[in-house]
Amino acid sequence: MIKRTLLVLLLALLVLAVVIAGNTWRTPSRQLQVPAVQKVAVDAKAAAERLSGAIPIRTVSSFEGAQQSGEEFRKLHAYLAQQFPKLHATLKKEVVGDNALLYTWTGSDPAARPVALMAHQDVVPIAPGTEKAWEVEPFSGQIKDGFVWGRGTWDNKGNLLAQMEAIEMLVASGFQPRQTVYLVAGDDEEVSGLRGAKPIAELLKSRGVRLEWVLDEGLLVTEGVLAGLDQPAALIGLAEKGYGTFFLSLDTPPGHSSMPPSSTAIGSMSAALAKLEANPMPAAIGGVAREMFATLAPEMKGFGRVALSNLWLFGPVVQGQLEKGVSSNAMLRTTTALTIVRAGNKDNVLPGRAEAAVNFRVLPGDTLASVEAHIRKTVANDAITIKQYPGNSEPSPVSPTDSAGYRTIAQSVRQTFPDAIVAPGLMIAATDSRHFAIVSDAVYRFSPVRARGEDLSRFHGTNERISIANYVEMIQFYHQLLRNTVQQPQ
């Protein structure tokens, strides 16, 4: 009996091993096979100098209003017109709202559905007190050690000027797109896009425009970030998480600190925030994350390939490991971040009011309503008032991978970065592109920027920079992308 049981177990293990091996080694690559191309020649020095010249123009966006840096935006507009004369002579330019830009490059085929490239002009400020940590003056645009340095080189003037460089060259060569191309440059992406990108999307909708696809800033060409993958990973964002800030407030009778009650405003609010942080919304390997892993698995080595090819078995192990990393955890769940706490103004006075802000990045499948329900259930304190920030937005729709737009972008990535593995991904931050769901079902988020793990802290941080070699690749990517729109892969 024991022998028979052992034989059955051994047979079961053998069958399991065969199934695992079959799933692992027989799963075909999903990489798009593309013809090699001769990349367009770029005057690297001149292009870098043009980007460098845009950085000292301090187009810092503000929640307070468009006029905070209005003169700087107008300087940038004049600079772009001066540096890209052929583009401005050929494309129709419109200023939408105060400072947002919409360019229209009319295509040769009126029946072809148009496409849109997006970037944004505005930048985030330098964190007070960190200026001396920069290797160069943050708004200098200095060219040093093969890089262009300064705020905006990566996010997002690099993308904007790379797009304009590509269009300038194409116009000079006599190229005309088959489809009309819109170039969208918002002026307040860093503070929600409500004054720039959203009105542009609404304007296009009012004109009856329906875009075949949209490409905005987003995920990167990461190098050495994914364990088990030797090649760079170029991730194309199919969706982005929603943005949900909730303001919590609690009013209690103020009093003297010498006679504190058993429960205070600060204590109650602190307990509520601690509960929210200790009890995040549930995680799962599903949706876009699962599609990303399925695409990457055949390209990986070692146990990573085995595990990702057999999530039906190793899913809990993989999920447990992913939840340990801040970036990978963010792909699996709606995240909770405690960002603002205010209470009290004197050391011997019990404050009568405590306030806090909690920011959630909402996973597709969750909603702002489900997040609010989670807050109320977790906090379990009816005395705490909960209000939503007016600029909150739901998760974006998930764009398809079987569309002409995705294939065209993937083809262009493979031709520009032939060493990279292309896969779909989820954008965990918010971009202007979320406003364009009203005019397109295929909205993608990808920046042709190479980044290693140590570079990620430069994003909105100190020593932001872009290498000149990578900036050339960015220009070549947009040039190839626009050429590929003429003959989209089927």
Side-chain angles (χ1 to χ4, degrees):
M1 184 67 179
I2 295 177
K3 288 183 179 180
R4 181 177 296 178
T5 301
L6 289 175
L7 285 173
V8 170
L9 288 174
L10 183 60
L11 181 60
L13 288 173
L14 181 60
V15 170
L16 180 62
V18 170
V19 171
I20 291 173
N23 287 342
T24 301
W25 306 115
R26 292 182 183 179
T27 302
S29 173
R30 296 188 181 188
Q31 295 306 295
L32 185 67
Q33 299 304 308
V34 301
V37 296
Q38 182 68 41
K39 297 180 187 180
V40 66
V42 176
D43 185 336
K45 182 175 183 295
E49 288 174 349
R50 282 188 285 270
L51 175 59
S52 170
I55 303 307
I57 305 173
R58 303 190 182 205
T59 50
V60 178
S61 53
S62 168
F63 281 108
E64 281 67 43
Q67 298 310 314
Q68 292 289 107
S69 302
E71 185 58 34
E72 293 298 297
F73 281 98
R74 287 184 282 277
K75 286 181 184 177
L76 179 62
H77 297 177
Y79 180 79
L80 295 175
Q82 177 191 53
Q83 297 299 316
F84 303 103
K86 293 181 175 60
L87 180 154
H88 282 80
T90 304
L91 279 64
K92 176 186 175 183
K93 171 187 169 184
E94 298 173 83
V95 179
V96 179
D98 291 286
N99 305 303
L101 297 175
L102 172 64
Y103 294 88
T104 304
W105 192 6
T106 304
S108 60
D109 182 0
R113 286 175 60 185
V115 301
L117 294 179
M118 298 181 65
H120 60 87
Q121 309 164 61
D122 59 313
V123 299
V124 295
I126 307 301
T130 66
E131 294 87 351
K132 292 184 178 179
W134 284 70
E135 292 186 32
V136 303
E137 196 282 317
F139 283 99
S140 66
Q142 183 175 340
I143 297 175
K144 172 186 173 185
D145 301 330
F147 293 86
V148 183
W149 297 71
R151 179 64 83 228
T153 51
W154 182 348
D155 182 27
N156 190 239
K157 287 177 180 174
N159 266 332
L160 175 59
L161 268 75
Q163 291 169 1
M164 289 191 162
E165 291 280 357
I167 294 173
E168 184 81 0
M169 287 192 293
L170 286 166
V171 170
S173 71
F175 176 87
Q176 184 183 16
R178 180 176 64 87
Q179 298 157 290
T180 291
V181 176
Y182 292 101
L183 183 60
V184 178
D187 62 322
D188 67 334
E189 190 274 347
E190 299 293 359
V191 291
S192 76
L194 298 179
R195 298 190 301 264
K198 185 177 181 182
I200 291 177
E202 291 170 342
L203 176 63
L204 293 176
K205 183 179 180 181
S206 72
R207 294 174 177 175
V209 173
R210 191 72 189 168
L211 299 169
E212 182 163 22
W213 53 263
V214 177
L215 179 62
D216 195 6
E217 65 171 328
L219 300 174
L220 311 169
V221 184
T222 58
E223 301 179 330
V225 174
L226 296 174
L229 186 66
D230 292 340
Q231 302 106 306
L235 302 180
I236 300 172
L238 304 185
E240 64 182 52
K241 300 178 82 173
Y243 187 97
T245 288
F246 291 80
F247 297 106
L248 281 60
S249 61
L250 175 63
D251 293 301
T252 61
H256 199 284
S257 64
S258 64
M259 297 179 290
S262 59
S263 178
T264 63
I266 290 178
S268 296
M269 182 60 75
S270 298
L273 297 177
K275 289 179 182 177
L276 287 173
E277 192 167 61
N279 297 278
M281 295 184 73
I285 302 177
V288 177
R290 197 173 194 93
E291 189 166 2
M292 180 187 75
F293 291 134
T295 304
L296 292 175
E299 318 303 329
M300 301 187 78
K301 294 182 178 179
F303 180 71
R305 179 173 181 177
V306 174
L308 293 182
S309 298
N310 296 276
L311 288 175
W312 59 276
L313 178 63
F314 296 107
V317 175
V318 173
Q319 181 174 318
Q321 290 300 310
L322 292 173
E323 288 185 68
K324 294 178 182 179
V326 291
S327 59
S328 52
N329 177 63
M331 294 190 300
L332 306 184
R333 62 157 42 97
T334 293
T335 52
T336 306
L338 313 182
T339 53
I340 300 174
V341 178
R342 285 192 293 259
N345 56 15
K346 200 170 187 299
D347 69 301
N348 64 347
V349 176
L350 295 171
R353 184 175 180 83
E355 300 174 316
V358 186
N359 180 251
F360 295 83
R361 298 305 172 102
V362 188
L363 191 73
D366 290 334
T367 64
L368 292 171
S370 68
V371 172
E372 184 169 345
H374 166 76
I375 296 172
R376 294 187 185 280
K377 180 180 179 181
T378 304
V379 169
N381 186 341
D382 292 337
I384 293 179
T385 300
I386 301 168
K387 292 183 178 180
Q388 287 198 36
Y389 166 57
N392 284 354
S393 59
E394 299 284 359
S396 75
V398 178
S399 297
T401 55
D402 59 354
S403 69
Y406 182 86
R407 290 192 296 271
T408 300
I409 295 166
Q411 175 185 353
S412 305
V413 174
R414 295 273 289 163
Q415 290 171 326
T416 311
F417 302 90
D419 58 333
I421 299 301
V422 178
L426 175 66
M427 183 72 177
I428 61 175
T431 70
D432 272 346
S433 68
R434 68 189 184 279
H435 300 299
F436 275 67
I438 63 173
V439 289
S440 181
D441 297 321
V443 181
Y444 303 101
R445 301 149 185 90
F446 171 73
S447 293
V449 174
R450 291 187 184 268
R452 301 189 66 82
E454 58 266 27
D455 295 318
L456 299 180
S457 63
R458 301 180 191 274
F459 186 76
H460 283 196
T462 298
N463 289 323
E464 183 178 349
R465 67 185 189 181
I466 192 78
S467 78
I468 295 173
N470 186 195
Y471 186 55
V472 167
E473 289 179 308
M474 293 171 69
I475 297 167
Q476 291 170 330
F477 167 77
Y478 288 116
H479 188 277
Q480 190 62 41
L481 176 65
L482 290 168
R483 290 190 63 84
N484 285 341
T485 60
V486 177
Q487 296 291 333
Q488 292 192 354
Q490 300 301 315

